[in-house]
């Protein structure tokens, strides 16, 4: 039923989004998105596409030619990479340390991979040696990793894994959606073959576009597969089916042909999202990617200092925590959902709840992208302290704000 409010103009409530994503988009990104459209093959548009590729090479710290956008949320980037590289029966290895490792397994199974997993308790990360040992026993074709898993706030060290993968001739993929631009990520230096991301975390945009970057070795293996037209032609060939990529929309071969000099028609690039993605990367390129990472580290640490000073316990192995998300253990006798509701309704601040084994046990507070600022951190701490005191939790009065503020050198 069409109600009266269905006909009203959209006018969302003012919110400060301090959860694990999405976050408030940078106003510059919103302005870029409201720009008028141009035709798909207008030279202005194809030039914006080329600029976007160049800008994301900086964000990913890569010289990979094939650095572009997949249209859709972060998971479209994950799915494009997996569906384009995995052939039925391929062995893949997935070290799982949170919810998004399970997602990689689920998508890989749909691609009919033989999925091998490693698991550790939530709140920990893997030692590279554990992963190398598993590679030696499983002999996977591809290693599927998550860099920062927002479900646990942990950051898996990747620096050594690329070299291990090279030694064992394993392709190395990483979902860096939650960590990119807030934590160091060096695609080329760390020998990553494919990395995918999304805008709604440290990149400071809305969800709906998935930047990806692909190494030459990865591209070669995607190109070696039959694409849909060849697949149909060779339907009688015995191996044709297995070699065919089972998605048109996510066929990276076709997406590369669209982004490349041939400009072969595939989808219609999501123009407004491209404007958004370009502006996110332009903001970071102007700031400097290392400065952007340092900004997330500064404000993340200030938040953590404040929370600890309030007497709250932080979740997980803190030496491997993402800079941009913190898990806070909900104190005994406090109703976590009630706290979130009071923060939202009375302060307009959203913090995150948790999934799976952590459900009801921790809140997740994010400091990322446009919201990685001093004022947002101080406001969030002040509001959280007020709410907790209101509910009977004895916070060390004023200590949180002071500790965070001190961290900024006031
Ligand atoms: C937040 C997050 C995503 C988000 O995926 P969407 O499709 O954009 O919802 C993906 N991967 C990781 C590791 C994340 O933290």
């Amino acid at each position: 039923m069409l109600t009266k409010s269905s006909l009203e103009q959209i006018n969302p409530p003012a919110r400060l989004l301090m959860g694990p994503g999405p976050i408030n988009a940078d106003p510059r990104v919103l302005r870029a998105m409201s720009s008028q459209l141009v035709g798909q093959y207008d030279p202005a548009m194809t030039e914006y596409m080329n600029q976007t590729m160049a800008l994301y090479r900086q964000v990913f710290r890569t010289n990979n030619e094939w650095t572009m956008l997949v249209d859709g949320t972060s998971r479209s980037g994950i799915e494009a990479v997996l569906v384009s590289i995995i052939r039925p029966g391929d062995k893949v290895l997935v070290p799982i340390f949170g919810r998004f490792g399970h997602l990689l397994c689920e998508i890989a199974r749909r691609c009919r991979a033989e999925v091998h997993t490693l698991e550790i308790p939530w709140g920990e990360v893997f030692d590279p040696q554990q992963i190398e040992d598993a590679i030696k026993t499983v002999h996977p074709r591809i290693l599927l990793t998550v860099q920062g898993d927002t479900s646990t706030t942990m950051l898996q060290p990747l620096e050594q894994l690329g070299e291990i993968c090279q030694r064992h001739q394993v392709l190395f993929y990483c979902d860096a959606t939650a960590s990119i631009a807030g934590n160091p990520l060096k695609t080329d230096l760390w020998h990553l073959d494919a990395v995918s991301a999304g805008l709604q975390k440290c990149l400071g945009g809305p969800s709906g576009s998935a930047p990806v970057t692909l190494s030459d070795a990865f591209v070669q293996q995607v190109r070696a597969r039959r694409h849909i037209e060849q697949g149909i032609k060779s339907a009688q060939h015995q191996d044709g089916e297995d070699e065919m990529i089972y998605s048109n929309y996510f066929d990276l071969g076709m997406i590369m042909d669209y982004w490349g000099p041939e400009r072969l028609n595939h989808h219609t690039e999501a123009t407004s999202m491209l404007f958004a993605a370009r502006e996110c990367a332009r903001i970071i390129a102007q700031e400097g990617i290392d400065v952007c990472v340092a900004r997330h580290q500064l404000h993340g640490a200030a938040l953590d200092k404040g929370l600890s000073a309030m007497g709250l316990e932080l979740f997980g192995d803190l030496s491997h925590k993402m800079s941009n998300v913190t898990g806070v253990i909900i104190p005994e006798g406090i109703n976590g959902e009630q706290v979130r509701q009071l923060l939202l309704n009375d302060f307009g601040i959203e913090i995150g709840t948790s999934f799976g084994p952590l459900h009801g046990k921790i809140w997740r507070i994010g400091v990322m992208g446009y919201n990685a600022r001093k004022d947002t951190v101080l406001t969030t701490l002040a509001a959280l302290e007020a709410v907790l005191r209101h509910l009977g939790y004895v916070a060390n009065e004023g200590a949180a704000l002071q500790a965070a503020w001190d961290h900024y050198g006031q």
Side-chain angles (χ1 to χ4, degrees):
M1 246 264 290
L2 198 60
T3 60
K4 187 157 172 281
S5 61
S6 319
L7 295 173
E8 279 167 13
Q9 206 172 38
I10 283 203
N11 185 22
R15 300 287 194 223
L16 177 59
L17 301 179
M18 299 297 284
I23 49 106
N24 298 88
D26 191 305
R28 277 178 55 176
V29 175
L30 298 177
R31 281 198 291 277
M33 291 181 80
S34 66
S35 305
Q36 186 52 277
L37 305 184
V38 288
Q40 194 178 5
Y41 295 110
D42 190 307
M45 179 64 185
T46 51
E47 183 52 27
Y48 287 145
M49 291 171 79
N50 291 341
Q51 292 166 356
T52 302
M53 295 174 94
L55 285 162
Y56 275 95
R57 286 186 194 109
Q58 302 229 324
V59 176
F60 282 113
R61 305 286 299 257
T62 184
N63 292 317
N64 284 342
E65 180 187 1
W66 296 108
T67 303
M68 61 207 168
L69 305 177
V70 175
D71 289 353
T73 67
S74 320
R75 138 179 356 220
S76 73
I78 303 172
E79 205 152 325
V81 168
L82 268 53
V83 83
S84 296
I85 195 70
I86 297 174
R87 304 166 307 203
D90 274 348
K91 286 185 194 172
V92 304
L93 177 67
V94 189
I96 303 173
F97 62 99
R99 176 175 181 240
F100 288 99
H102 288 289
L103 175 67
L104 296 180
C105 292
E106 199 255 350
I107 298 174
R109 286 199 185 96
R110 286 174 190 260
C111 300
R112 290 181 281 147
E114 183 183 313
V115 178
H116 296 259
T117 60
L118 279 176
E119 286 201 57
I120 42 167
W122 286 29
E124 298 176 20
V125 295
F126 291 93
D127 189 292
Q129 191 59 51
Q130 282 173 281
I131 297 177
E132 177 160 23
D133 290 346
I135 287 177
K136 281 182 184 159
T137 39
V138 172
H139 300 295
R141 177 164 171 252
I142 317 160
L143 174 70
L144 304 177
T145 64
V146 176
Q147 187 186 20
D149 202 311
T150 39
S151 64
T152 70
T153 76
M154 291 297 109
L155 186 79
Q156 172 64 45
L158 300 177
E159 312 59 331
Q160 296 170 52
L161 297 183
E163 194 259 320
I164 292 172
C165 284
Q166 282 201 326
R167 225 174 324 114
H168 298 279
Q169 298 189 320
V170 174
L171 288 169
F172 181 20
Y173 161 75
C174 176
D175 171 8
T177 304
S179 47
I180 196 165
N183 306 268
L185 172 78
K186 297 176 181 174
T187 300
D188 289 358
L189 197 66
W190 298 351
H191 307 295
L192 280 148
D193 288 298
V195 185
S196 68
L199 303 188
Q200 75 267 34
K201 310 271 168 86
C202 302
L203 294 178
S207 65
S209 180
V212 298
T213 188
L214 314 171
S215 72
D216 292 344
F218 185 94
V219 169
Q220 239 174 33
Q221 299 209 25
V222 171
R223 292 282 194 205
R225 298 188 66 181
R226 264 174 247 273
H227 293 274
I228 195 86
E229 279 170 37
Q230 296 159 296
I232 289 167
K233 272 192 225 129
S234 63
Q236 299 96 323
H237 290 217
Q238 271 191 329
D239 300 328
E241 293 259 310
D242 278 4
E243 282 300 314
M244 200 166 80
I245 293 172
Y246 284 89
S247 169
N248 171 293
Y249 194 69
F250 290 137
D251 182 333
L252 283 173
M254 296 173 95
I255 296 175
M256 286 187 279
D257 290 344
Y258 176 51
W259 280 78
E262 293 179 57
R263 302 264 174 223
L264 292 186
N265 197 7
H266 182 237
H267 60 290
T268 309
E269 183 53 21
T271 314
S272 305
M273 281 314 302
L274 177 126
F275 292 170
R278 179 182 178 280
E279 190 65 11
C280 289
R282 194 169 77 96
I283 291 168
I284 291 170
Q286 286 174 330
E287 182 180 18
I289 180 74
D290 292 335
V291 178
C292 181
V293 169
R295 172 167 57 90
H296 283 85
Q297 288 167 339
L298 171 71
H299 297 295
L303 176 79
D304 292 356
K305 289 248 167 84
L307 292 166
S308 301
M310 218 186 290
L312 295 168
E313 196 187 332
L314 308 186
F315 173 77
D317 170 3
L318 298 181
S319 61
H320 289 109
K321 195 183 83 62
M322 277 189 278
S323 70
N324 51 301
V325 196
T326 298
V328 185
I329 295 173
I330 300 171
E332 284 233 356
I334 292 290
N335 177 338
E337 280 312 291
Q338 192 182 7
V339 169
R340 290 195 339 112
Q341 266 162 31
L342 285 168
L343 280 172
L344 190 71
N345 296 336
D346 288 356
F347 295 84
I349 298 175
E350 181 182 281
I351 65 167
T353 168
S354 302
F355 307 99
L358 297 177
H359 181 73
K361 296 195 178 129
I362 67 168
W363 296 299
R364 291 175 305 151
I365 306 183
V367 176
M368 39 192 157
Y370 180 64
N371 285 353
R373 301 195 310 264
K374 191 192 284 185
D375 61 305
T376 56
V377 167
L378 297 177
T379 304
T380 303
L381 287 169
L384 182 62
E385 181 183 312
V387 167
L388 285 176
R389 286 172 63 80
H390 173 73
L391 296 178
Y393 172 81
V394 188
N396 307 324
E397 194 173 353
L401 263 191
Q402 199 58 55
W405 212 5
D406 285 348
H407 183 74
Y408 290 120
Q410 298 297 320

